[in-house]
Amino acid sequence: MITYTKLPIEKIHYLDRPEFHKEEIKFKTSLLNSMKKYGMIDPIYAEYGHRYGKIIKVIVGNNRMTAAKILGYKEVPIIINSYDPNYKPEGRELKSDDEIRALFKLGKDLQIRRNKDGMIDQIMPPWYNKVQKEYEWVLKKINTKLLEKLYQKN
């Protein structure tokens, strides 16, 4: 069951990436300024009762969750994909990808990627493939720095 709702931040588990606060400071500042001005335009996407157990775990929107926490948001709009038939959050049930797309600013242009089991594993803008290589380069650079630090310690 996929549900759209609003939840308090403290009920949601998300990844607060260290590089978001260091190497990606320009992006972080831009996101914070945008959210100050416009609010959270797109909902977070999370899972419950599957890969991470019985917690609401963000799959798409970790940076927006971090920014929301910094800005003092009490709750955020969220799409929860529940794999536990006993967990039914209050909210509007979403029955199609089109209903999910309608909640995002990009709407019909939004790409929803599913894995081989049909589970949503990424919600992305249509230009994602154009910037993916640059993003991977940044991740390699970060991983290289981490490896260098490890070797320096040994």
Side-chain angles (χ1 to χ4, degrees), residues 5-139:
T5 190
K6 289 189 175 184
L7 285 179
I9 284 182
E10 64 270 4
K11 291 190 175 193
I12 304 167
H13 294 257
Y14 62 97
L15 177 64
D16 186 355
R17 302 177 310 109
E19 59 271 19
F20 184 62
H21 302 285
K22 296 176 184 169
E23 290 89 355
E24 300 174 7
I25 200 73
K26 185 176 177 182
F27 171 61
K28 176 184 173 183
T29 301
S30 176
L31 181 59
L32 287 168
N33 288 336
S34 173
M35 287 176 64
K36 282 180 196 172
K37 186 173 182 178
Y38 302 108
M40 189 176 288
I41 296 170
D42 294 327
I44 303 298
Y45 175 76
E47 289 182 350
Y48 178 88
H50 186 62
R51 293 181 276 196
Y52 303 98
K54 296 191 181 236
I55 62 170
I56 299 167
K57 173 69 173 94
V58 172
I59 305 301
V60 178
N62 287 293
N63 291 336
R64 286 179 284 137
M65 283 295 298
T66 300
K69 178 109 179 176
I70 291 168
L71 294 171
Y73 281 43
K74 300 296 181 218
E75 63 179 19
V76 295
I78 188 166
I79 296 169
I80 303 170
N81 194 349
S82 176
Y83 293 90
D84 181 343
N86 297 316
Y87 178 73
K88 297 176 182 170
E90 289 186 28
R92 183 173 63 139
E93 185 176 357
L94 304 173
K95 297 183 180 186
S96 71
D97 285 0
D98 287 337
E99 287 183 283
I100 294 170
R101 283 185 187 97
L103 296 169
F104 288 81
K105 184 177 181 190
L106 289 175
K108 65 179 179 153
D109 293 328
L110 191 73
Q111 295 176 1
I112 298 173
R113 187 178 79 183
R114 295 178 180 271
N115 67 17
K116 63 181 169 70
D117 299 321
M119 298 176 352
I120 295 171
D121 68 355
Q122 201 165 55
I123 298 174
M124 59 194 155
W127 57 84
Y128 176 77
N129 291 335
K130 292 179 184 174
V131 298
Q132 182 179 12
K133 286 184 182 178
E134 183 176 329
Y135 183 69
E136 287 171 354
W137 176 82
V138 169
L139 289 178

